Amino acid sequence: MVWSTLARHLLTKPSPPREAGHSTAAALAERLQNLSNEKLGRSLAIRHVDSGSCNGCELELRAIQNMVYDLTQYGLTFTPSPRHADILLITGVAARNMGEALRQARAAMPDPIFTIAVGDCAVDGGVFKGSPAITGGADSILAVDLMISGCPPTPGQIIDGLLSLLEAHAGKK
Amino acid sequence: MSPPHLSAHAWQNHTGAFIALWTSGELAYALFDAGLITTSLEDGTYPALSPKHPGAAWFEKLSLDLNGHKASGVSHSNTAIEHFLSPNGTAPWPEFRPAPGEGVHQMAVGPIHAGIIEPGHFRFSIIGEKVLKLEARLGYTHKGTLALMRGKSPRNAARFAARISGDATVAHSLAFAHATEAALGLTLPPRAVQLRAVMAELERMANHTSDIGAIAGDAGFAFLDARFAWHRESLCAAANAAFGHRLMMDMVIPGGVAGDIKTGGDDAIRRSLDALETERPGLTRVFEDYASLQDRLVGTGHIGIHLAARYAAGGVTGRASGRQTDARTSPGYAPYELMELTVPVETEGDVAARVKIRLAELAESCRIIRTLLNHLPDGQIAIAPPATSGMALGVAESFRGPVWHWLNIESGLITDVFVADASTLLWPLVEHAACTSIIADFPLINKSVNASYSGVDL
Ligand code: SF4
């Protein structure tokens, strides 16, 4: 049973869910084709830190790794270790209780890095703006290179933002 | 109707399944399965319930952190959400006492974890690879949500309720709306009630599919992870097509729903259900037949029936440990009294049982959504809450278990609020379950319970 089910799935290519922004994903893939690897020079590793989210943003960050959005096709991967990371991706408000951990994660990453704030909370505190339990958005703790707003941003918007960073980076060379 | 007011002695000796505790004004409140009780605060203290009801410990620490109200008769060695307690404004580590024994060492994990998940600190005492003790330190994502809700109208505070735990945004919005509607005596239009249930079941399915996949993924079985992640994506896309938001955030509001189901939304939902129903039997058999997967799941992270009962565990975790509980049927809320809901129960209490419950609930949610869509009544989708006063509890069964909202509203404004996510009673069970297995199985155990960090950090 296992093998027949497995075999069936290995032989049939999964069709993307119809409403899953397939066209967005395709358009993004095309843009990245143009941005060839030689321009990029390397693939980039992302270290994600949740500094006080409601966990909504994490759901969409995980979604960009599913087979519909397939983040790795753009040369982007998540890494557990800050030592291997080129991008520090922050979700959630800058909760007072996470400030020190966020600073330490940054310090553990080798320069140069890009810092990205994903989601309204990380951008400026979102709906939690002004709460005494937070210091604000990610930029209240460290310098942020790119902000991707949305509550939560859709997988398409997150990938779009990541690609714009890659493009800007490639343009700098 | 105000809840019964008990003497300190009667409060302390109250029996039943403990659900939540909080303080407000001059009173301490405790929620048991049989109902709410109160007692007076004396010099800002109330008799501790945690010696009898271990699940109360977190709530007692929380009341101290949030309101400065102390539980008399116990001393907790750490705080809940307030990490900056020392007078010089620093956040010292609490003392983690290792399990006794020769050769035992401690292992510290977090607050930042390896995967894309929320922050929390785990302190393991291990010998070899065997876990002897686990202490979780939470509170890292504390955002001050409850304080932000005070002074606002229920409609304005709803966006905070929707962000207590993003994965259960519909359930929390629903419990908050139920509390508001009970406090102000609102009766909802039937169309709103049914649309809410469609959203709640879609949310349950989206979470169950990703959890089942992630458990398989943690056991190194990428195929199931990939397939279930695809189904989650298909359900989120359908939710977006039907309600305009992939997580359906801010769609359930006090008095009804924020928008009607969109044209084509019905079809989109049915297609995603069809896709899942077609593939589910095959995927279930892979789960059951694959020996090396079963080897990782069976017997892992065991939560016994007695332990689950002690913490009044609800949701998937409770039902996998022999507890026939589901807030949709008991205490129950509309429209489930018409749905003849089957509540699956397993008794093994391990990771495998928690997967089984999720698989069974997927089928049931599919059935409910179809029934609701087939008989969607016409009419209004929302009514405006009046600017009156009242105090009430609201509950909704999230994918992980019941979430409770308690509200006090005066002249249309919230004067006080408390929220108890199911996770509050699930975290102690994760600490217990970890000690039945080796350290390498902890991700599996944690994922199989899937307690929320944000939901308890508030
Ligand atoms: S931006 Fe929205 S979804 Fe993301 S963490 Fe904040 S409240 Fe949650």
Side-chain angles (χ1 to χ4, degrees):
Chain A
M1 188 58 224
V2 170
W3 294 113
S4 59
T5 311
L6 270 177
R8 201 169 64 244
H9 283 289
L10 291 176
L11 294 175
T12 51
K13 219 173 158 357
S15 55
R18 285 196 210 181
E19 275 76 32
H22 184 53
S23 53
T24 327
L28 292 173
E30 196 183 326
R31 262 172 62 199
L32 204 81
Q33 296 278 301
N34 304 332
L35 196 86
S36 65
N37 255 348
E38 53 186 289
K39 249 177 149 183
L40 270 177
R42 55 182 180 156
S43 64
L44 299 179
I46 307 170
R47 173 63 244 202
H48 162 248
V49 174
D50 170 352
S51 58
S53 83
C54 79
N55 79 30
C57 281
E58 282 64 48
L59 298 176
E60 297 301 44
L61 273 189
R62 258 178 265 149
I64 64 176
Q65 301 183 85
N66 70 27
M67 65 170 91
V68 175
Y69 295 103
D70 188 17
L71 183 71
T72 47
Q73 70 178 302
Y74 308 114
L76 293 164
T77 51
F78 283 95
T79 170
S81 169
R83 307 270 183 216
H84 303 160
D86 311 294
I87 296 175
L88 175 59
L89 190 159
I90 301 161
T91 54
V93 300
R96 271 195 313 141
N97 290 348
M98 273 302 286
E100 183 54 27
L102 182 55
R103 267 182 228 108
Q104 287 187 17
R106 166 62 187 97
M109 293 174 66
D111 283 323
I113 65 158
F114 299 115
T115 311
I116 310 182
V118 171
D120 289 350
C121 283
V123 167
D124 63 359
V127 302
F128 303 101
K129 215 180 294 171
S131 166
I134 74 173
T135 53
D139 64 357
S140 67
I141 304 287
L142 35 76
V144 174
D145 299 308
L146 176 75
M147 305 215 181
I148 302 175
S149 52
C151 183
T154 63
Q157 289 167 333
I158 299 174
I159 292 185
D160 215 14
L162 289 170
L163 293 187
S164 68
L165 186 78
L166 293 186
E167 280 168 1
H169 172 53
K172 257 192 237 155
K173 285 201 167 177
Chain B
M1 193 189 74
S2 47
H5 185 272
L6 271 51
S7 70
H9 181 77
W11 158 277
Q12 209 162 12
N13 291 302
H14 199 73
T15 53
F18 171 87
I19 297 170
L21 178 155
W22 65 94
T23 61
S24 171
E26 296 303 309
L27 293 177
Y29 295 77
L31 177 63
F32 286 80
D33 56 351
L36 195 57
I37 56 168
T38 63
T39 192
S40 299
L41 294 170
E42 305 286 345
D43 293 332
T45 68
Y46 58 93
L49 293 182
S50 56
K52 257 197 146 146
H53 308 278
W58 172 268
F59 293 97
E60 290 170 359
K61 292 186 264 185
L62 194 62
S63 301
L64 183 61
D65 288 358
L66 289 175
N67 302 333
H69 295 144
K70 218 182 145 336
S72 59
V74 285
S75 75
H76 295 295
S77 62
N78 57 4
T79 59
I81 47 137
E82 183 51 82
H83 289 187
F84 291 85
L85 266 197
S86 82
N88 61 5
T90 56
W93 281 97
E95 189 197 344
F96 294 103
R97 289 186 208 95
E102 172 112 14
V104 175
H105 67 282
Q106 287 200 2
M107 188 171 136
V109 179
I112 300 174
H113 296 152
I116 302 177
I117 55 169
E118 303 171 77
H121 181 84
F122 297 125
R123 188 66 65 95
F124 296 92
S125 288
I126 50 182
I127 186 154
E129 54 184 10
K130 175 94 190 70
V131 178
L132 301 179
K133 182 178 173 191
L134 165 61
E135 260 184 273
R137 185 199 197 202
L138 303 172
Y140 287 94
T141 73
H142 175 55
K143 299 175 274 299
T145 312
L146 298 182
L148 292 170
M149 293 168 87
R150 283 189 218 118
K152 298 199 169 63
S153 70
R155 280 274 171 95
N156 283 339
R159 64 181 194 278
F160 299 102
R163 284 159 183 80
I164 286 179
S165 186
D167 49 11
T169 178
V170 174
H172 272 286
S173 299
L174 194 54
F176 176 76
H178 284 159
T180 307
E181 290 147 13
L184 304 181
L186 282 184
T187 311
L188 282 211
R191 187 174 178 84
V193 172
Q194 288 203 197
L195 286 174
R196 283 174 169 190
V198 170
M199 294 185 212
E201 296 309 315
L202 267 180
E203 176 177 86
R204 186 179 328 280
M205 292 180 68
N207 282 299
H208 279 359
T209 45
S210 63
D211 281 348
I212 296 167
I215 291 168
D218 274 341
F221 203 47
F223 162 71
L224 285 175
D225 194 5
R227 287 314 302 158
F228 278 106
W230 185 90
H231 284 293
R232 178 193 164 82
E233 179 59 34
S234 140
L235 290 160
C236 289
N240 189 41
F243 302 109
H245 192 287
R246 287 166 52 90
L247 307 179
M248 299 166 284
M249 212 171 235
D250 301 323
M251 292 308 300
V252 173
I253 54 171
V257 291
D260 212 329
I261 187 165
K262 293 188 195 315
T263 323
D266 182 293
D267 283 345
I269 294 174
R270 285 176 202 270
R271 274 200 305 274
S272 68
L273 300 187
D274 288 344
L276 180 63
E277 283 295 79
T278 312
E279 206 176 354
R280 195 178 52 83
L283 294 177
T284 305
R285 276 196 294 278
V286 173
F287 233 116
E288 288 166 354
D289 290 3
Y290 206 77
S292 67
L293 182 60
Q294 286 296 310
D295 182 53
R296 291 292 307 279
L297 309 184
V298 173
T300 304
H302 182 255
I303 298 170
I305 291 176
H306 184 66
L307 185 65
R310 243 177 91 96
Y311 284 91
V316 169
T317 305
R319 293 193 277 280
S321 294
R323 288 175 56 76
Q324 177 117 32
T325 90
D326 192 313
R328 288 175 291 174
T329 56
S330 169
Y333 50 90
Y336 292 98
E337 72 280 6
L338 306 169
M339 293 291 124
E340 290 167 8
L341 187 73
T342 313
V343 179
V345 178
E346 298 283 337
T347 51
E348 288 79 9
D350 54 4
V351 176
R354 295 192 274 278
V355 171
K356 269 194 213 162
I357 296 282
R358 286 185 172 93
L359 284 164
E361 290 187 4
L362 280 179
E364 190 63 358
S365 293
C366 264
R367 184 187 67 81
I368 294 173
I369 294 175
R370 283 188 212 279
T371 312
L372 292 167
L373 288 178
N374 287 343
H375 304 283
L376 206 55
D378 291 332
Q380 274 184 298
I381 55 162
I383 45 174
T388 51
S389 307
M391 180 198 286
L393 269 169
V395 67
E397 180 80 12
S398 78
F399 74 99
R400 60 166 62 89
V403 301
W404 293 87
H405 285 231
W406 172 84
L407 281 179
N408 191 17
I409 305 175
E410 276 168 31
S411 309
L413 296 180
I414 294 172
T415 56
D416 211 355
V417 49
F418 188 75
V419 176
D421 187 273
S423 311
T424 324
L425 295 173
L426 293 177
W427 278 116
L429 291 174
V430 172
E431 293 177 330
H432 281 282
C435 303
T436 66
S437 299
I438 60 172
I439 185 93
D441 282 336
F442 182 68
L444 271 176
I445 297 168
N446 200 15
K447 191 84 238 175
S448 75
V449 175
N450 193 3
S452 169
Y453 300 72
S454 180
V456 301
D457 292 349
L458 301 173

